[in-house]
Amino acid sequence: MPSNKNRLYITLYPSGVANNEERKYHWGFLIGPKAEGKDVIPGASYHVKNSPFGWTYEEIPLENVQTTIRLLARILIAKIEDEQRLITLLRRLPVVQGDSNWRCRTWVASALAEIAKDGKCVGTAELDWQKIEACARRYVGDKTASGRYRSAADLSKPKPTWDMLENKESVP
């Protein structure tokens, strides 16, 4: 019997710090459905952001997971087994203040470690931060080099998506 469980993605957005390779992207998570077609595909984004008041955790409902304007790419990393458990885990992660080395990327790496330790919120998954980060940087770098983000028309297209579970591109 085929599974239609929601999927967990790593998301990359431009950070505004283009001259620093390590801080070039803003990192987060996205939850969306397995089946994606041409219709509107709702989901949600989960991340931490730095504001004048410090780091804050944010959950944002998305009307369409494929066409979020600022999104550069999605990296599929897991099939979700227990979505509420996963969301609860993300909500409980520490949001560190006053540490200049802590940022969104640190939070994502910490979340992946906690998801792996939990062992119940996701099934088939790639949760190794070093593999995910290398894959995501390479994928977005290749898309940038090929001109994928140059025109305004490209920003409204479905976003490039790499499937780490099947090691293939699923949305060009």
Side-chain angles (χ1 to χ4, degrees):
M1 184 175 202
S3 167
N4 198 25
K5 295 178 178 154
N6 279 348
R7 301 303 195 240
L8 180 63
Y9 299 85
I10 295 288
T11 53
L12 284 84
Y13 299 85
S15 71
V17 188
N19 63 347
N20 181 324
E21 192 58 37
E22 187 175 305
R23 295 184 180 196
K24 191 174 193 173
Y25 304 111
H26 175 72
W27 300 81
F29 291 101
L30 184 146
I31 292 177
K34 173 186 178 181
E36 294 186 0
K38 296 183 190 267
D39 297 330
V40 171
I41 305 155
S45 172
Y46 304 83
H47 70 118
V48 294
K49 72 176 193 174
N50 200 359
S51 73
F53 307 106
W55 288 98
T56 57
Y57 169 77
E58 237 182 24
E59 294 179 14
I60 303 167
L62 301 173
E63 186 176 316
N64 191 336
V65 297
Q66 287 187 330
T67 58
T68 301
I69 294 295
R70 294 194 41 178
L71 179 64
L72 296 172
R74 302 179 301 164
I75 310 298
L76 174 61
I77 61 163
K79 296 177 182 178
I80 299 172
E81 292 292 326
D82 185 337
E83 189 168 333
Q84 198 51 56
R85 185 180 185 97
L86 173 61
I87 293 168
T88 298
L89 183 149
L90 295 175
R91 288 175 178 160
R92 289 183 178 162
L93 287 169
V95 177
V96 177
Q97 308 296 335
D99 179 348
S100 62
N101 292 315
W102 193 92
R103 52 194 177 281
C104 59
R105 166 179 185 277
T106 315
W107 181 82
V108 167
S110 169
L112 291 168
E114 290 301 313
I115 292 167
K117 191 165 75 174
D118 172 78
K120 294 179 183 172
C121 49
V122 300
T124 304
E126 174 56 70
L127 300 174
D128 181 312
W129 169 244
Q130 290 182 336
K131 287 181 185 176
I132 292 168
E133 182 181 30
C135 174
R137 287 182 184 277
R138 182 175 53 251
Y139 185 63
V140 172
D142 289 349
K143 290 296 178 185
T144 301
S146 73
R148 173 61 172 84
Y149 309 112
R150 282 196 195 131
S151 76
D154 286 340
L155 298 177
S156 63
K157 291 180 183 175
K159 301 307 181 198
T161 303
W162 185 262
D163 182 335
M164 285 192 77
L165 305 181
E166 295 190 16
N167 199 31
K168 69 177 187 176
E169 188 170 56
S170 58
V171 178

